[in-house]
Amino acid sequence: MKKLLTAAALSAVLLTALTSCSAKTSSSQPTASERDVFAMDTFMTMKAYGDGAESALEAAEERIRELEAELSVTAQDSDIAHINRANGAEVEVSRDTALLVDAGGKYWVETDDALDIRVYPVLREWGFTTGEYHVPDEATIAELLRKVHSGDIAVSETSVQIPAEAEIDLGALAKGYTGDEIMAIFRDNGVTSALISLGGNVQALGSKPDGSDWRVGIKDPFSPDENMCVVSISDRAVVTSGNYERYFTGDDGKVYWHIIDPNDGYPADNGLVSVTVIGESGLRCDALSTALFVMGTDKAQNYLCEHTDVDAVLVTDDGRVLYTDGLSDSLEMKSGMPAEVIVRD
Ligand code: ADP
Ligand code: MG
């Protein structure tokens, strides 16, 4: 068993509307096969082109269901439920689960504690996984943070072991990984052009059938029914974490959202209201969208300056839009909307 997390103090995308399971033809356009799936607590749409598209979509749906059964934190019989109930014992798990727990440990280190898959006890107390929303008192949060920081996670290729008190949740990573897996299935089935949206995680295989880029809208967090910009992509994932996605208003009138700062156990409120990460790997974009949101405006910009393999669009709570220079040729802001460029080199 490889020790991953060592210290004791281990401290939206609007997608161009896709319709349901039907094949569309027109004289000039190749056939699109489409499928909608509700899984992982979210609405998913997939659109693929090519001869193998129908069987690719069938296999993709099966894979989504398989991953959901393994990774769900609320299902009774998932790998995650087994790990969380194991009372400190080592648990045999699927390769997917082991890979994602391993990735969680790596991103915990890489993001300087911003992403922590052990934050689940706090997240549940706030009601974000049960729907029973409420603001916990400070003593309860302090007690639950002790569990979050209770110790190491160990992982091998097929097993996971966490401290007896700890509980984990892969909600920040699972959809991103699922996107990568779907892209692999599409490729294996001969699909060369596809676009999927897994509840706001958009991912493209290749370009549009006519060779032009896919155009993906990014929501305005202050007005989530509208796009604030459109980004042109091929072979990329576009993943957004926003404070408007899952939230409730407390008795105190304040709004609380589902991304938790593992340092204090409260919804991360470090200057950002939306983070979109654009890159080749869905898993990496998903991990980083959550982590940069937790880091906040300054740390997120520093991180992006040091990690130029991804691009990002950040929106601050006072309405500034910042995007990395890699997007200069591919991002179009809504007319009249100002934005600042994060220059790297
Ligand atoms: P969404 O799942 O809504 O697209 P994210 O990818 O940002 O949004 O993931 C948020 C989910 O990640 C939460 O619902 C929760 O399961 C989990 N989570 C929240 N805060 C953290 C954190 N600091 N570290 C790891 N996971 C987190
Ligand atoms: Mg995420």
Side-chain angles (χ1 to χ4, degrees), residues 158-335:
T158 54
S159 70
V160 171
Q161 185 173 19
I162 67 173
E165 279 190 284
E167 291 177 273
I168 59 168
D169 157 40
L170 300 174
L173 309 170
K175 282 186 285 168
Y177 176 66
T178 303
D180 292 337
E181 290 295 291
I182 294 172
M183 294 297 118
I185 289 169
F186 284 177
R187 268 189 223 103
D188 289 349
N189 282 273
V191 171
T192 51
S193 173
L195 189 69
I196 64 171
S197 171
L198 311 182
N201 283 33
V202 176
Q203 198 157 348
L205 179 68
S207 317
K208 282 193 202 168
D210 68 5
S212 63
D213 283 344
W214 297 103
R215 289 167 55 79
V216 179
I218 299 176
K219 286 181 182 177
D220 180 346
F222 298 103
S223 183
D225 291 337
E226 290 171 36
N227 287 337
M228 63 175 185
C229 61
V230 174
V231 59
S232 300
I233 54 156
S234 64
D235 282 320
R236 287 281 181 285
V238 181
V239 180
T240 299
S241 292
N243 71 346
Y244 56 87
E245 283 171 359
R246 192 168 298 197
Y247 62 89
F248 71 96
T249 305
D251 293 338
D252 55 5
K254 279 184 70 177
V255 177
Y256 297 96
W257 48 82
H258 72 315
I259 300 174
I260 302 290
D261 188 335
N263 293 305
D264 63 11
Y266 284 82
D269 195 6
N270 300 316
L272 293 175
V273 290
S274 162
V275 174
T276 300
V277 179
I278 299 153
E280 280 177 25
S281 155
L283 171 57
R284 182 159 174 76
C285 292
D286 204 0
L288 293 181
S289 68
T290 309
L292 296 182
F293 190 103
V294 173
M295 285 181 201
T297 319
D298 295 340
K299 261 188 113 172
Q301 285 186 79
N302 290 339
Y303 182 94
L304 289 165
C305 287
E306 284 164 15
H307 298 85
T308 53
D309 64 304
V310 289
D311 278 293
V313 183
L314 312 178
V315 185
T316 66
D317 53 11
D318 55 1
R320 290 164 66 212
V321 181
L322 306 128
Y323 65 85
T324 50
D325 50 8
L327 297 174
S328 297
D329 294 334
S330 52
L331 185 115
E332 284 168 48
M333 293 302 298
K334 193 164 111 180
S335 73

